[in-house]
Amino acid sequence: MIAIHHSPGVYLAIAAFLFAAGVYGLLRRRTLIGMLIAGELIFSAASLNFMTFNRFLAPDPAVGQVFVLFIMGLAAAEVAIALSIIIAVYRNYRSINPKELSELNG
């Protein structure tokens, strides 16, 4: 049986797919919630890259894990703040479609 998990290329390809799906989601989603989920896919791709380089290239195994923990904390803070903003926008405008929020333009 071929052990493909011993190669960093597999993990980097998965991370590239996650990143591409996140960027596509940011460009194509029409709701703020969809854009938020697409942003989380980009954070997941970055975390997977850090863990891949940590496993295959780093002499100290804790470095990549610490970076991933910081990314997870940043993602949690982003979700909390973004959801509170989305709820406030929905209460004022009764929509979370970004194109309908023309009054927010400066």
Side-chain angles (χ1 to χ4, degrees):
M1 187 160 174
I2 299 174
I4 61 173
H5 63 277
H6 293 298
S7 170
V10 175
Y11 297 107
L12 294 176
I14 294 171
F17 174 74
L18 283 174
F19 183 78
V23 170
Y24 177 76
L26 278 176
L27 296 176
R28 297 296 296 171
R29 289 290 147 199
R30 298 184 184 202
T31 63
L32 297 175
I33 301 291
M35 291 177 183
L36 183 65
I37 292 170
E40 292 301 315
L41 282 176
I42 293 174
F43 276 134
S44 296
S47 296
L48 186 57
N49 277 332
F50 273 119
M51 288 307 294
T52 300
F53 289 122
N54 177 46
R55 179 171 183 231
F56 292 104
L57 299 176
D60 185 17
V63 174
Q65 294 171 6
V66 169
F67 275 114
V68 170
L69 287 174
F70 280 121
I71 290 173
M72 288 172 63
L74 182 69
E78 175 212 3
V79 167
I81 292 171
L83 283 177
S84 66
I85 291 172
I86 290 169
I87 289 171
V89 165
Y90 182 76
R91 285 182 182 169
N92 287 332
Y93 297 102
R94 296 288 181 229
S95 174
I96 57 171
N97 189 353
K99 291 184 180 179
E100 294 177 9
L101 304 176
S102 61
E103 291 182 20
L104 294 178
N105 289 340

